[in-house]
Amino acid sequence: MLCLSAEKGSRFTIEQAHDADIGHNDVQRYTLQKNDNFILSVDNNKVELVLENKLDREGNSEVSLLLTALDGGSPQRSGTVVIHITVLDANDNAPVFTEAVYKASLPENAQPGTAVIEISATDSDEGVNGEVSYDFGHIHEDEIHVFSIDSKSGEIKVRSAIDFEEKSSFEIRLEAKDGLGLTSYAKLLVDVTDVNDNAPVIYLKSLSNPIPENIPRGTEVGIINVQDEDSESNGQVRCSLQQGVPFKLVPSIKNYYSLVSTGQLDREVVSDYNITITATDEGSPPLSTSKSVQLSVADINDNPPVFEEESYSAYVSENNKAGSTLCSVAARDPDWRQNGTVIYSLLSGEVNGAPVSSYVSVNGDTGVIHAVRSFDYEQLRSFKVQVMARDNGSPPLSSNVTVSVFISDVNDNAPQILYPAPEGNSFMTELVPKAAHGGSLVSKVIAVDADSGQNTWLSYQIVKSTDPGLFTIGVHSGEIRTQRDISESDSMKQNLIVSVKDNGQPSLSATCSMYLLISDNLAEVPELKDISYDEKNSKLTSYLIIALVSVSTFFLTFIIIILGVRFCRRRKPRLLFDGAVAIPSAYLPPNYADVDGTGTLRSTYNYDAYLTTGSRTSDFKFVSSYNDNTLPADQTLRKNAMHNCNFPIYKRQTILL
């Protein structure tokens, strides 16, 4: 497809045809279907279209050519292509008026804006070339302000008053010009007819403007005077108002009329009236004159502010910043100026016994409600306030609206563990029977969360335990159960660290320790205090144990040395004693007491050594004192069982402990 805008002789190259064959069987010649504009030129295999006759878009905007390529084979083969040529427009046509001379007749009393005639010209070109604009040609100075012409439509109107007595006809030269400047001309002849050429004249003698919107019906708001310089019937004038206005004209003395109200005015419905008064004489034809009177209605404060909504709701998350925006209220007052100026305020009231002003505030100009304090969902979930919108009129009018503030929960409270009590408050233990089977309920962690909704959904997890495979906890119930049957190899003392996590974003958690004793009887438990053993004290306990062992070793070594020295002094031939002879207590400490709280020994112990004859051993009696430490879990264990341990002592007085 070619788009052409060219002169005669212009050449346009055409892409050559292609043939897969070679030699004589390749493309040998081209032919062009006969047409009125183009011929084909082939030179050295260069194919061109030559414009023989000039194109005329107005005659034919599109040209289709059939080009055929022929090879030299036998049988001969050919290929065709259709060339579509779009002829572009050239500005070769000037506008043409529909008439060479236009004629119009105009009465001398024609008012400004009166249409005289509408001229028209056409242009065969298109686009910018075909756009026609109109104007006056050379015109006399006294005619310049008489008529006006619309450059687009060609409508000619009266621009100023025409007086037959001054000029009875006009001859005006008209121009029609296209977008690129080609112009044609025509002539307009206007004949002015002599008629009743003095129209009535309307004079506004007095006018109350603005007028209050609450004036009663029949109130006079203005006085109109009408005059006509004509005589007899041409000077007799009738006055009227257009329909649809709450006013009428009431005749008074000669040529005077009173403008009075006929209905209730409402500035909020219509704030201004453009009243057209028409005066018509009785000439033939009659002449009339119109005068527009602009009346403004003054406002009175007769409308209270009206809120856009019947009630408002504000949603805010707890822990909000003081001063944050909750919502905004808006009221409209159709009155004007200060009568329509709305001021917002809070009505007095209380929220949880405190003034409402200590919770929220409202911007008096914008109606934006702000939080005065940070809210706590756990303390207050919702409250209502009353907002008043008052105008600035005299007297002022007002209306109220209820604003409901809803506080949403934020996950700001970590779970609180009720059982077992947090570490440091008391020492809680649970007894687990040795015969407990897998799935047996051992204990339960009880926790609560002060938040609401999903923030209070708690999940339980054992994060650390003495034997990871022995106990499990319900994710949502907190129940601690055995995973398998308890065996003899299981440690008697079990320590579980349980984490309780809520479902907030981000989630908060708390941990607690659960101490379990695998025993059927508390009397079987040798050391209860070791249950509360904490890793953080492990190093200190190790140091205390090492110190205690060192002191004990030194003490026992000292006793052995003393016994050995005493035995050597006697030098008796018999190594065995007849009867029981007590080793003097001077050789052993009368009392060995471990300070309570070291984590090793919790009671005071007394040691006495006895040697017997008849055997090669002696009895070492270990007596444990009563222990008053108790378990708060059941407050049943009051004293530890007394333990007597017999240790063999060889005749060489070596005491084995």
Side-chain angles (χ1 to χ4, degrees):
M1 178 181 288
L2 300 176
C3 294
L4 301 179
S5 176
E7 298 295 330
K8 181 179 179 180
S10 299
R11 291 175 173 267
F12 304 95
T13 302
I14 304 298
E15 184 179 356
Q16 297 182 18
H18 297 280
D19 195 323
D21 298 324
I22 61 175
H24 186 71
N25 293 329
D26 198 359
V27 176
Q28 299 299 319
R29 64 190 181 92
Y30 297 87
T31 62
L32 180 66
Q33 183 184 20
K34 187 175 181 179
N35 62 89
D36 296 333
N37 301 103
F38 293 91
I39 62 175
L40 186 65
S41 173
V42 181
D43 185 15
N44 295 328
N45 292 328
K46 183 178 182 182
V47 182
E48 294 180 317
L49 291 177
V50 181
L51 182 63
E52 185 178 31
N53 296 316
K54 190 174 181 179
L55 298 170
D56 185 6
R57 188 201 63 81
E58 288 73 31
N60 192 3
S61 61
E62 291 189 358
V63 177
S64 296
L65 303 176
L66 182 63
L67 179 63
T68 304
L70 302 169
D71 63 14
S74 180
Q76 190 178 45
R77 298 182 181 276
S78 64
T80 60
V81 64
V82 178
I83 302 174
H84 296 283
I85 299 175
T86 301
V87 183
L88 300 178
D89 182 52
N91 192 28
D92 55 350
N93 294 281
V96 178
F97 279 100
T98 56
E99 298 181 22
V101 178
Y102 293 92
K103 294 182 180 181
S105 179
L106 187 68
E108 64 172 331
N109 61 347
Q111 297 298 312
T114 302
V116 179
I117 196 172
E118 186 173 334
I119 62 175
S120 177
T122 59
D123 194 317
S124 300
D125 296 324
E126 68 177 4
V128 177
N129 299 329
E131 294 180 357
V132 180
S133 61
Y134 303 94
D135 200 357
F136 293 130
H138 179 71
I139 189 170
H140 295 289
E141 291 184 1
D142 58 349
E143 298 175 349
I144 292 177
H145 302 293
V146 177
F147 300 100
S148 65
I149 186 170
D150 191 307
S151 61
K152 297 296 183 182
S153 65
E155 184 179 19
I156 298 175
K157 296 182 179 181
V158 176
R159 189 175 181 183
S160 62
I162 300 174
D163 191 351
F164 176 82
E165 286 72 27
E166 293 182 4
K167 194 173 181 67
S168 61
S169 65
F170 295 90
E171 183 177 327
I172 303 173
R173 191 178 184 186
L174 306 174
E175 291 183 354
K177 185 184 296 184
D178 64 18
L180 295 182
L182 294 182
T183 308
S184 61
Y185 301 93
K187 186 184 294 185
L188 171 63
L189 299 177
V190 180
D191 292 330
V192 180
T193 59
D194 185 22
V195 291
N196 181 27
D197 60 349
N198 289 296
V201 180
I202 302 173
Y203 297 97
L204 187 61
K205 291 299 182 179
S206 66
L207 183 67
S208 298
N209 196 19
I211 54 178
E213 62 178 323
N214 61 343
I215 60 172
R217 295 180 182 181
T219 302
E220 184 181 81
V221 297
I223 298 176
I224 306 298
N225 175 242
V226 181
Q227 296 181 4
D228 193 320
E229 294 181 358
D230 293 328
S231 60
E232 297 180 356
S233 62
N234 292 333
Q236 300 298 319
V237 181
R238 301 185 309 271
C239 287
S240 63
L241 297 178
Q242 84 271 25
Q243 298 294 321
V245 293
F247 299 96
K248 68 178 180 178
L249 288 173
V250 177
S252 182
I253 59 177
K254 184 179 179 180
N255 295 331
Y256 279 87
Y257 296 86
S258 295
L259 182 63
V260 298
S261 63
T262 60
Q264 182 65 45
L265 304 181
D266 188 351
R267 191 206 67 84
E268 287 70 45
V269 177
V270 180
S271 61
D272 295 282
Y273 289 95
N274 189 12
I275 302 173
T276 301
I277 302 173
T278 303
T280 305
D281 63 21
E282 296 183 359
S284 181
L287 296 179
S288 63
T289 300
S290 297
K291 186 177 184 64
S292 294
V293 178
Q294 189 76 24
L295 281 178
S296 297
V297 182
D299 182 54
I300 62 171
N301 192 30
D302 57 348
N303 292 283
V306 177
F307 283 95
E308 294 180 350
E309 300 181 18
E310 294 183 358
S311 62
Y312 291 85
S313 297
Y315 299 89
V316 61
S317 299
E318 65 172 328
N319 304 326
N320 59 293
K321 293 183 179 180
S324 59
T325 300
L326 300 181
C327 69
S328 63
V329 297
R332 299 289 180 264
D333 193 321
D335 293 326
W336 195 46
R337 290 187 176 176
Q338 67 178 15
N339 293 334
T341 302
V342 179
I343 300 174
Y344 303 94
S345 61
L346 290 176
L347 292 180
S348 60
E350 291 187 352
V351 177
N352 279 358
V356 68
S357 59
S358 65
Y359 284 84
V360 296
S361 65
V362 62
N363 187 301
D365 297 325
T366 63
V368 177
I369 299 176
H370 300 277
V372 175
R373 62 169 65 175
S374 178
F375 300 132
D376 187 355
Y377 176 83
E378 287 72 38
Q379 299 293 330
L380 181 65
R381 300 193 175 187
S382 65
F383 61 93
K384 294 182 179 181
V385 298
Q386 292 284 329
V387 178
M388 180 180 68
R390 175 180 57 83
D391 62 27
N392 228 4
S394 180
L397 301 177
S398 64
S399 60
N400 303 332
V401 72
T402 300
V403 179
S404 299
V405 180
F406 298 95
I407 303 168
S408 59
D409 183 46
V410 172
N411 191 31
D412 58 347
N413 290 282
Q416 181 181 0
I417 299 175
L418 303 180
Y419 182 85
E423 281 191 65
N425 294 341
S426 62
F427 178 61
M428 308 298 295
T429 61
E430 295 283 354
L431 284 180
V432 181
K434 293 181 179 179
H437 297 289
S440 299
L441 178 63
V442 173
S443 184
K444 182 176 182 178
V445 177
I446 301 174
V448 294
D449 196 311
D451 295 319
S452 66
Q454 68 175 11
N455 295 332
T456 62
W457 299 351
L458 302 181
S459 59
Y460 301 82
Q461 181 184 6
I462 297 177
V463 297
K464 189 174 182 181
S465 64
T466 303
D467 189 346
L470 183 55
F471 298 99
T472 183
I473 190 170
V475 176
H476 301 295
S477 64
E479 295 180 347
I480 300 176
R481 296 178 180 271
T482 56
Q483 294 193 72
R484 57 176 174 79
D485 295 348
I486 295 176
S487 63
E488 294 293 335
S489 60
D490 292 328
S491 174
M492 180 182 296
K493 307 168 187 178
Q494 296 288 332
N495 183 9
L496 305 181
I497 298 178
V498 178
S499 172
V500 184
K501 182 185 298 185
D502 61 25
N503 199 38
Q505 293 296 330
S507 62
L508 301 177
S509 62
T511 58
C512 65
S513 295
M514 176 68 72
Y515 303 104
L516 304 176
L517 298 177
I518 301 177
S519 175
D520 292 329
N521 188 351
L522 283 178
E524 299 177 358
V525 182
E527 294 291 343
L528 293 178
K529 188 172 183 179
D530 290 343
I531 300 174
S532 61
Y533 179 77
D534 196 327
E535 286 187 356
K536 64 183 179 180
N537 297 322
S538 59
K539 291 184 178 180
L540 178 60
T541 304
S542 299
Y543 295 153
L544 293 175
I545 292 174
I546 293 173
L548 181 61
V549 170
S550 300
V551 173
S552 300
T553 303
F554 176 79
F555 174 71
L556 293 177
T557 304
F558 178 74
I559 293 178
I560 292 173
I561 293 174
I562 292 177
L563 293 176
V565 171
R566 188 174 181 82
F567 177 77
C568 292
R569 286 180 179 178
R570 292 186 178 185
R571 293 187 177 274
K572 293 184 178 182
R574 188 165 49 90
L575 296 177
L576 297 179
F577 293 92
D578 293 330
V581 179
I583 298 176
S585 59
Y587 293 99
L588 291 175
N591 292 290
Y592 177 76
D594 177 33
V595 179
D596 189 27
T598 62
T600 54
L601 298 178
R602 298 172 54 90
S603 305
T604 301
Y605 298 89
N606 294 327
Y607 299 86
D608 289 314
Y610 296 90
L611 297 179
T612 60
T613 59
S615 68
R616 298 183 178 271
T617 62
S618 295
D619 291 334
F620 181 80
K621 186 176 182 180
F622 170 76
V623 181
S624 175
S625 68
Y626 288 104
N627 185 359
D628 292 330
N629 289 335
T630 60
L631 286 174
D634 53 10
Q635 298 295 329
T636 56
L637 184 59
R638 295 301 180 185
K639 296 182 179 180
N640 288 333
M642 180 181 296
H643 300 278
N644 291 326
C645 300
N646 293 325
F647 296 92
I649 302 178
Y650 292 95
K651 288 193 174 183
R652 301 177 68 177
Q653 285 81 39
T654 300
I655 303 175
L656 301 180
L657 296 178

